Amino acid sequence: MTMLRKTLAFVVLFILAFWGLQKASSGGYLSAFDASPDNLNLSVQSEDNTVIVKWELQGGSIVRTLAGGRDAVILVYPGWVEDNDSWLVLGDAENLSVALNGESPRNLTIIYHPFQVLVSNGSAQAKLRVFVVPIDFPSTVQSGKIELKLVTYYGTCNNITLDVIYFHSTGKGDYRDLVLPLSVDFGKGFPILPGFRSRFNLTIKASKMPEFLSSAVNAHYPGNWIDEPKGWLVVKKVNVTVCPPKTS
């Protein structure tokens, strides 16, 4: 009798897992690389030099547990501008805190992956350093909150666009070009090109996407490397006003 109960329990668990897999497939978990899942609630806002990212995944917990893998939230923003072989700060990361599944926030080591981009406003050019800051975590994480505090100097505020990428690993999907819209607006008191404004795109080619995503999901797990992560991703952007530190 006990053996029969165990067998029935296993069959029920298998059916539930299979149903969850089918449900996930129709809801986005095993969809194409650039699919936008209906069951992801992702919000991004900015206040007082701080970008706040919140997310919640609904359903599919059995599938995520069986599949394993790691997800990532990737923050992309123009942080520096070149000035005669040196770099001036548009927005510099001062603090990064992360809270997963309702746990208490903890400060995380900030890891940067920089890109150099030449942008123009029609009459002038500026060489920017765009920073990619990955935060990786197990795919079983269902909710989280990230706060990134930025700071600038020189007695003036700058406006920048920050893109938030949520990547969910499923092991399936195709790599395609990723186009990230960004912008800069130098403060009127900025040391070079005061008032300079430019909108531009940072494009990650499909051939570079495996490396881009690998560096994200392996950022804080170097001992358990995942090659060529595949899944879906969602991109949201937010405009951030970055000001100098407040003085008492």
Side-chain angles (χ1 to χ4, degrees):
M1 188 67 178
T2 303
M3 189 64 185
L4 178 60
R5 287 179 179 175
K6 288 183 178 179
T7 303
L8 288 173
F10 174 79
V11 171
V12 170
L13 181 61
F14 178 80
I15 292 173
L16 286 173
F18 182 75
W19 178 84
L21 188 64
Q22 295 296 105
K23 181 97 174 159
S25 180
S26 63
Y29 283 101
L30 301 178
S31 57
F33 177 73
D34 59 351
S36 179
D38 296 331
N39 46 3
L40 172 66
N41 182 15
L42 176 66
S43 68
V44 184
Q45 63 183 43
S46 169
E47 58 182 48
D48 296 331
N49 285 23
T50 302
V51 176
I52 303 169
V53 181
K54 296 179 182 179
W55 75 90
E56 183 177 0
L57 276 170
Q58 310 236 341
S61 58
I62 295 177
V63 177
R64 293 199 301 274
T65 301
L66 293 174
R70 280 195 296 274
D71 293 3
V73 171
I74 308 168
L75 310 177
V76 183
Y77 63 95
W80 296 354
V81 57
E82 187 179 46
D83 178 30
N84 295 326
D85 296 327
S86 62
W87 294 89
L88 301 178
V89 173
L90 294 169
D92 212 15
E94 188 175 63
N95 187 66
L96 175 65
S97 70
V98 180
L100 302 175
N101 285 338
E103 296 177 352
S104 299
R106 59 187 178 92
N107 291 335
L108 199 66
T109 302
I110 302 173
I111 297 175
Y112 298 97
H113 300 291
F115 289 83
Q116 289 194 178
V117 180
L118 189 64
V119 301
S120 172
N121 66 354
S123 59
Q125 289 185 327
K127 183 184 288 186
L128 303 178
R129 185 161 286 181
V130 175
F131 291 114
V132 175
V133 178
I135 302 99
D136 48 336
F137 42 88
S139 297
T140 50
V141 170
Q142 289 190 276
S143 64
K145 179 180 179 181
I146 294 170
E147 294 190 12
L148 176 70
K149 185 174 183 180
L150 299 170
V151 68
T152 187
Y153 310 100
Y154 323 114
T156 189
C157 298
N158 304 305
N159 292 304
I160 62 174
T161 297
L162 183 145
D163 288 338
V164 176
I165 305 168
Y166 187 98
F167 171 74
H168 179 64
S169 176
T170 66
K172 293 189 177 183
D174 299 319
Y175 294 116
R176 302 179 187 176
D177 291 357
L178 176 63
V179 180
L180 301 171
L182 296 168
S183 69
V184 291
D185 182 357
F186 298 4
K188 300 214 181 242
F190 201 70
I192 63 168
L193 300 174
F196 177 91
R197 295 182 180 182
S198 181
R199 290 182 175 84
F200 60 98
N201 291 329
L202 175 66
T203 301
I204 313 295
K205 290 293 186 180
S207 60
K208 297 294 184 182
M209 283 302 294
E211 179 184 350
F212 179 80
L213 292 174
S214 287
S215 65
V217 301
N218 295 300
H220 296 91
Y221 294 86
N224 185 19
W225 192 266
I226 296 177
D227 287 318
E228 298 188 358
K230 293 183 178 182
W232 48 251
L233 56 79
V234 174
V235 180
K236 283 198 173 186
K237 67 177 183 177
V238 63
N239 295 321
V240 187
T241 298
V242 187
C243 297
K246 293 181 180 179
T247 56
S248 56

